[in-house]
Amino acid sequence: MAPGTGKTVALFATCINDTMFPGTPIAVVKVLERLGCKVVFPKDQTCCGQMLTNTGYFKETVPIVKNYVKAFGDYDYIVGPSGSCIGAVRHQHPMLAERAGDQGLKAASEEVVKKTYDFTEFLVDVLGVTDVGAYFPHRVTYHPTCHSVRVAHVGDRPYQLLKAVRGIDIAELPDADQCCGFGGTFSVKNPDMSVAMGSDKARNVKSTGAEYIVTGDNACLMHITGIMHRMKAGVKPIHLAEILAHTEGDAA
Amino acid sequence: MTVTESRPRLTPAPPSGTYLGMPAFPKAVKAALDNQQLRKNLHHATSVIRAKRATRASEVRNWEELRVAGEEIKNRVGRHLDQYLVQAEKAMTDAGITVHWARDAEEANRIVIDLVKSKNTPEVVKIKSMVTQEIDLNEALEEAGVAAWETDLAELIVQLGHDRPSHILVPAIHRNRSEVREIFLEEMKQWGTPAPEGISDNPPELAGAARTHLREKFLRSKVAVSGGNFIVAETGSLVIVESEGNGRMCLTLPETLISVVGIEKIVPTFEDLEVFLRLLPRSSTGERMNPYTSIWTGVTPGDGPQDLHVVLVDNGRSNVLKDPVGREALRCIRCSACMNVCPVYERAGGHSYGSVYPGPIGAILTPQLRGMASAVDKSLPFASSLCGACNEVCPVKIPIADILVHMRNKAVEKKREHHPTVESLIFKVVAWIFAKGRNLAFIQRFSKLAGKLFKKRSHFGPLPWPASGWSNARDLPVPPKQTFRDWWQEREEASK
Ligand code: SF4
């Protein structure tokens, strides 16, 4: 399908990707456009607010919930490359509005939440594709981040997408279902525990012999590779979307 | 609680200090994280039991329906607790049980002590029970001149080891068998039948030593103290599930049985009980059925204890019930699945939680029962990466991660009740940044500046406070010179 002729997608880049890892939302744009979608980036957008919510600052998160509704309310498909942020929007926004006693916001939030998808869900469920035409001739291992699995419930969609990538060599990650220990502000409130969990994850990643550690959440990835980079482990981080964006034309 | 120093102790002394005096969780875990033996013991034990639970749960075709049933029955109990308690009291009384009510730990302990004293006995045998640990009954009895003997194997190891339990199902999970052997050799002789000389660390030999050591106590004791897994309101029946048979000894041999039970342990009917008798063993020990299930309904003349008492304990539970979010924790049937699956528990061990209830359930229940005044109670809701593994295994579907977040909110609001905290000011700024796209874009100027200044490197190494919390052990990527927002803008302008 020619770019721009298919569905219109509002990209929720997420604050951390927008600021720290722009390569990931750029990859999402590339993949979606390749599949014929028209991508828009509502500039009002910021963040899902989970850093505040999950640290206990409910009141402070309400303006963020409002802003999300304002930025995305008009779109049918809101897509973001983070199971964690998408999970937070869907699972927490209406609750926060309710706690604030704002029934109007709750109703509005419930509407917009229904149209919010993780990138992998949008590809597999809405567009109905698993082969997105990607080529990535490398050995990788995938860490299914906790919130993508247990809050956003993306299931095995990331694997379906990865398996369809040409040239890829997927190494199974031992104890894949174990948390990496990032946990948002947990990583600094309980740094010793967070690092203990992360170093076990890093050891498992290293044991696979993979060149790349892949996740659908750059925050977890920043934690895991923060440890691995300190260890000089030689394993590179990459977001799933960036693998999917990679084609034969790109330098391998 | 301190015992007057003039009198030698009747039972092995637990470690000094109280749970409430323990350090906050992040501090408490340091020692545990450095203890390789502990981490090995816990990793091994929790991995084995985790796998067993998963297998046993997956065998049940309608496992998810069972969980929902468990959730709904317990919710109903919570909604009508007043009525069910009165119904249970009447049924128990009619069956010949004397029912006592205790508002808090002190009242509960006083009731038990008075009952034991009236029997003129210097000691009691005990079945493993969480609520009696919660109220610190053993030490209250010790102070009153009564020796309370734990008869569950792991509880015995803990008691003889002058230790505290570190798990609600396997209280000595932090000990390995050579440590158990040493404890038995050293301590058994001081408190009763000694361990056989030359005993090895072979588990059957150790269990044999415990059996012999306990036997004389079972045969001698006139009074037993138990907890209770369930009370069936319609019939007034008490239910205890166990694995070792020590419970059955306590429930049948002594003349008097005192059961201390939390008020949330009610199930309305026998039919409801069925749901929990299926959920509990598979979730806790990973067995299809636990080896011993004891159910008794009042006194049977000439058979078993002839004097039965039940002490119904509140100790903070009605307060928990007042909180529509937090109250879901009262559904807990103490199976321990949440801690067995918890990556934080696996590395922290139970003692770091400063509570008889460790792990995820401890992190949500303890600060609700005790309040959040102490350093450790304030830190417990934050003792989780919110990975949510516990939610998935809980047989009564307690949304543990959501309650953790709820408790964090309570902790935050309490801390800034009178004046703002530094953290709350930081989060005000964060909230401002994320309230509008243009605020975020403004702040990104600084990240881009950092990206330009440090363009030669990919990561930051160790940084000074406040970044040290992150960077002591983790490198931090240098921010990019261009944000996504800018990239998009540039692309849009180029296409015009
Ligand atoms: S919270 Fe759930 S999983 Fe944890 S001990 Fe209680 S019933 Fe079991």
Side-chain angles (χ1 to χ4, degrees):
Chain A
M1 211 190 309
T5 56
K7 295 191 161 60
T8 298
V9 176
L11 171 64
F12 175 34
T14 78
C15 67
I16 182 169
N17 287 323
D18 179 6
T19 313
M20 294 293 290
F21 306 103
T24 298
I26 290 173
V28 174
V29 173
K30 210 168 147 188
V31 174
L32 291 177
E33 289 184 348
R34 193 197 299 151
L35 295 169
C37 297
K38 176 174 160 34
V39 182
V40 292
F41 176 76
K43 291 204 180 68
D44 279 337
Q45 67 175 279
T46 55
C47 167
C48 67
Q50 67 168 309
M51 188 188 7
L52 293 112
T53 317
N54 289 345
T55 313
Y57 290 85
F58 286 8
K59 272 195 299 230
E60 282 77 1
T61 321
V62 177
I64 301 173
V65 175
K66 273 190 196 144
N67 189 63
Y68 187 87
V69 170
K70 183 171 147 236
F72 292 108
D74 293 341
Y75 299 97
D76 292 333
Y77 300 101
I78 304 141
V79 175
S82 163
S84 188
C85 306
I86 297 301
V89 167
R90 293 203 293 226
H91 187 61
Q92 293 178 327
H93 279 198
M95 176 277 285
L96 290 160
E98 160 124 44
R99 289 282 189 109
D102 191 337
Q103 291 306 325
L105 179 61
K106 186 181 174 218
S109 177
E110 272 167 352
E111 279 311 303
V112 72
V113 154
K114 277 189 226 148
K115 307 183 289 182
T116 300
Y117 301 85
D118 176 61
F119 179 51
T120 62
E121 293 174 314
F122 183 75
L123 293 179
V124 177
D125 301 350
V126 181
L127 298 184
V129 290
T130 47
D131 183 351
V132 298
Y135 170 74
F136 197 72
H138 298 279
R139 186 170 171 84
V140 306
T141 193
Y142 177 76
H143 167 57
T145 61
C146 303
H147 285 192
S148 73
V149 177
R150 302 197 184 106
V151 185
H153 302 289
V154 301
D156 69 346
R157 293 175 187 87
Y159 290 103
Q160 293 181 38
L161 291 159
L162 270 181
K163 278 189 196 135
V165 172
R166 268 176 292 283
I168 202 163
D169 171 16
I170 307 170
E172 200 186 315
L173 178 64
D175 288 335
D177 63 348
Q178 294 282 299
C179 176
C180 73
F182 170 63
T185 52
F186 175 78
S187 64
V188 287
K189 281 183 177 276
N190 279 279
D192 299 284
M193 179 57 71
S194 171
V195 169
M197 292 160 75
S199 58
D200 285 341
K201 181 60 71 183
R203 192 166 33 76
N204 282 324
V205 169
K206 183 75 186 160
S207 78
T208 64
E211 283 171 73
Y212 289 93
I213 158 80
V214 191
T215 73
D217 271 299
N218 276 331
C220 305
L221 201 54
M222 182 171 82
H223 164 73
I224 301 168
T225 48
I227 290 170
M228 299 193 84
H229 192 266
R230 181 71 54 91
M231 289 159 63
K232 304 285 171 270
V235 181
K236 287 169 274 186
I238 190 165
H239 190 284
L240 176 64
E242 293 173 44
I243 292 184
L244 299 182
H246 205 275
T247 57
E248 298 239 21
D250 299 322
Chain B
M1 248 173 265
T2 49
V3 178
T4 37
E5 283 175 20
S6 51
R7 176 166 63 72
R9 283 191 60 102
L10 308 167
T11 57
S16 59
T18 60
Y19 276 123
L20 279 174
M22 286 188 184
F25 188 79
K27 219 163 158 190
V29 297
K30 284 179 194 278
L33 288 174
D34 284 341
N35 185 339
Q36 191 52 30
Q37 182 68 54
L38 176 75
R39 285 181 69 175
K40 230 168 93 186
N41 294 355
L42 281 169
H43 175 72
H44 174 73
T46 54
S47 313
V48 170
I49 199 163
R50 213 180 266 174
K52 272 172 81 183
R53 188 216 70 88
T55 313
R56 292 297 167 244
S58 67
E59 298 174 337
V60 181
R61 202 174 25 82
N62 59 347
W63 183 252
E64 286 310 308
E65 276 172 49
L66 268 182
R67 288 177 78 207
V68 172
E71 173 188 11
E72 288 179 350
I73 294 167
K74 282 279 181 176
N75 281 350
R76 176 149 47 90
V77 169
R79 279 197 306 273
H80 308 292
L81 189 57
D82 50 346
Q83 292 166 30
Y84 285 125
L85 281 169
V86 171
Q87 188 191 9
E89 179 187 35
K90 179 161 190 313
M92 287 191 278
T93 311
D94 290 348
I97 298 178
T98 312
V99 179
H100 311 257
W101 298 88
R103 256 178 295 245
D104 53 24
E106 214 183 313
E107 274 189 21
N109 288 335
R110 172 65 24 221
I111 292 165
V112 178
I113 290 167
D114 288 347
L115 284 170
V116 176
K117 288 249 149 160
S118 74
K119 300 291 170 184
N120 267 324
T121 177
E123 62 180 356
V124 299
V125 280
K126 280 190 70 207
I127 310 178
K128 179 171 169 25
S129 132
M130 292 314 301
V131 72
T132 59
Q133 286 178 20
E134 182 189 317
I135 63 176
D136 208 6
L137 176 63
N138 291 10
E139 282 309 287
L141 284 168
E142 170 83 36
E143 200 155 314
V146 177
W149 298 110
E150 294 292 346
T151 65
D152 170 90
L153 177 55
E155 290 289 0
L156 177 71
I157 295 166
V158 167
Q159 186 175 34
L160 290 174
H162 301 269
D163 204 354
R164 284 199 173 93
S166 69
H167 188 282
I168 64 173
L169 177 75
V170 218
I173 195 168
H174 57 290
R175 296 285 196 196
N176 63 20
R177 46 162 120 158
S178 53
E179 291 175 294
V180 174
R181 176 183 164 270
E182 276 168 38
I183 292 169
F184 280 10
L185 268 178
E186 185 55 36
E187 295 288 333
M188 277 184 171
K189 57 178 185 257
Q190 300 182 40
W191 312 102
T193 312
E197 261 177 63
I199 186 174
S200 79
D201 65 0
N202 192 14
E205 267 185 67
L206 294 171
R211 195 172 288 128
T212 317
H213 181 81
L214 290 170
R215 187 65 41 147
E216 60 171 348
K217 296 193 161 77
F218 283 133
L219 294 176
R220 208 169 54 202
S221 293
K222 292 202 182 69
V223 178
V225 175
S226 83
N229 291 96
F230 308 97
I231 296 177
V232 182
E234 67 172 352
T235 58
S237 312
L238 277 102
V239 185
I240 282 191
V241 296
E242 48 138 350
S243 297
E244 296 172 10
N246 65 305
R248 187 143 301 177
M249 299 284 274
C250 294
L251 296 174
T252 50
L253 287 175
E255 293 155 15
T256 302
L257 172 62
I258 306 165
S259 306
V260 185
V261 189
I263 52 171
E264 82 285 20
K265 294 286 160 196
I266 300 272
V267 294
T269 67
F270 251 90
E271 217 181 331
D272 297 323
L273 179 64
E274 178 242 317
V275 171
F276 297 102
L277 291 185
R278 295 184 71 196
L279 286 171
L280 182 52
R282 288 179 195 261
S283 301
S284 68
T285 47
E287 293 167 304
R288 294 195 176 98
M289 191 72 225
N290 46 288
Y292 297 90
T293 301
S294 301
I295 305 181
W296 67 100
T297 311
V299 178
T300 307
D303 186 8
Q306 296 298 296
D307 191 14
L308 293 176
H309 296 266
V310 167
V311 184
L312 292 167
V313 182
D314 185 325
N315 205 32
R317 285 159 178 73
S318 325
N319 264 331
V320 182
L321 206 54
K322 280 185 211 152
D323 179 336
V325 179
R327 72 164 66 125
E328 298 201 57
L330 288 182
R331 291 204 295 267
C332 176
I333 55 173
R334 310 283 189 263
C335 73
S336 79
C338 57
M339 60 202 74
N340 295 330
V341 83
C342 176
V344 172
Y345 174 86
E346 182 192 318
R347 290 166 180 83
H351 293 154
S352 305
Y353 292 81
S355 152
V356 297
Y357 305 110
I361 182 63
I364 57 171
L365 187 59
T366 303
Q368 294 199 75
L369 290 174
R370 298 201 298 218
M372 281 193 278
S374 72
V376 59
D377 286 329
K378 272 185 221 146
S379 72
L380 285 179
F382 297 90
S384 165
S385 64
L386 301 179
C387 82
C390 47
N391 289 3
E392 286 189 332
V393 295
C394 177
V396 285
K397 291 175 78 85
I398 299 174
I400 298 176
D402 289 347
I403 302 179
L404 282 164
V405 171
H406 168 73
M407 296 300 295
R408 291 177 185 190
N409 177 241
K410 281 185 140 179
V412 160
E413 295 307 337
K414 197 175 153 71
K415 257 189 249 169
R416 62 173 172 187
E417 212 169 29
H418 301 300
H419 43 84
T421 59
V422 176
E423 188 189 84
S424 73
L425 295 173
I426 294 173
F427 275 108
K428 275 227 151 45
V429 176
V430 174
W432 175 84
I433 296 172
F434 292 142
K436 286 195 173 79
R438 45 164 211 277
N439 299 1
L440 176 59
F442 172 75
I443 286 298
Q444 285 173 339
R445 288 187 195 180
F446 299 98
S447 74
K448 287 182 284 192
L449 182 66
K452 279 179 197 136
L453 285 174
F454 298 98
K455 61 173 183 266
K456 292 221 182 86
R457 43 205 298 193
S458 68
H459 285 77
F460 295 113
L463 297 167
W465 188 89
S468 52
W470 175 272
S471 67
N472 273 351
R474 285 162 289 206
D475 287 346
L476 188 70
V478 171
K481 295 187 286 287
Q482 188 184 42
T483 61
F484 176 76
R485 212 169 274 272
D486 293 344
W487 177 85
W488 184 269
Q489 179 96 18
E490 217 174 86
R491 195 172 92 129
E492 270 197 331
E493 276 161 17
S495 68
K496 263 179 206 158

